[in-house]
Amino acid sequence: MTSPLLWYLNRGTGVVLLLVFTATVVLGVLATGRSATPLWPRFITQGLHRALAALSVFMLTAHVVSAVVDSYVDIRWWQAFVPFGATYEPVWLALGAISLDLLFVVVATSLARSRMPHRVWFLVHLSTYAAWAAAVVHGLFIGTDSSTGWMVAITVGCVA
């Protein structure tokens, strides 16, 4: 199945995902910084972090499903999870798969946070930095709009 709608959905979710994932990471850093003011209590930062993390999972699901369903490029469902064996842009697709796998582990441990030692959860949660970096490089090299001015500005802003 191929459709311009699938391509736009994949492209759009990728761009929005970069923005939301970046905001989630930044809010996570701010939440661990333990800085709070009477005007901006820490629970607001943590709540926004969790809400954006949930939105990231939704956007990531839409991004992966639209990439797999669109037959314009040959991306099999298992290639979204396994970082080797892809025929389409294997290195850049592998970085996306690594990012997805790391985020899957982070989400799973976050859902089980109350049943595990805080230190274990925290150490696993640190892998979001690697997932974010892999996702940025994935988007830079596999994204069809990565060299356009507006996408360069978004990527530079997110990295900054």
Side-chain angles (χ1 to χ4, degrees):
M1 169 184 205
T2 186
S3 162
L5 179 62
L6 287 172
W7 183 78
Y8 283 115
L9 180 64
N10 185 265
R11 183 178 121 189
T13 55
V15 173
V16 173
L17 187 56
L18 174 63
L19 292 166
V20 174
F21 193 15
T22 300
T24 303
V25 171
V26 168
L27 285 169
V29 170
L30 292 175
T32 59
R34 308 225 190 276
S35 60
T37 67
L39 295 174
W40 192 270
R42 199 167 76 123
F43 75 87
I44 292 177
T45 304
Q46 289 174 332
L48 282 172
H49 171 70
R50 289 183 185 130
L52 286 177
L55 180 60
S56 293
V57 170
F58 172 75
M59 296 301 297
L60 183 57
T61 302
H63 183 66
V64 169
V65 168
S66 64
V68 170
V69 170
D70 189 358
S71 61
Y72 184 75
V73 293
D74 187 25
I75 300 174
R76 308 296 168 98
W77 69 267
W78 60 269
Q79 293 170 342
F81 302 97
V82 179
F84 52 84
T87 54
Y88 176 75
E89 300 285 353
V91 173
W92 314 127
L93 194 58
L95 284 174
I98 289 167
S99 182
L100 176 66
D101 294 343
L102 288 172
L103 288 175
F104 180 76
V105 172
V106 168
V107 169
T109 56
S110 292
L111 293 173
R113 182 178 179 183
S114 63
R115 294 182 289 275
M116 66 176 39
H118 176 75
R119 186 82 176 141
V120 172
W121 170 83
F122 181 75
L123 290 173
V124 171
H125 222 70
L126 288 177
S127 68
T128 55
Y129 295 124
W132 178 83
V136 169
V137 176
H138 163 79
L140 279 173
F141 290 99
I142 207 170
T144 55
D145 292 326
S146 59
S147 62
T148 60
W150 62 272
M151 193 61 215
V152 169
I154 288 173
T155 304
V156 167
C158 288
V159 170

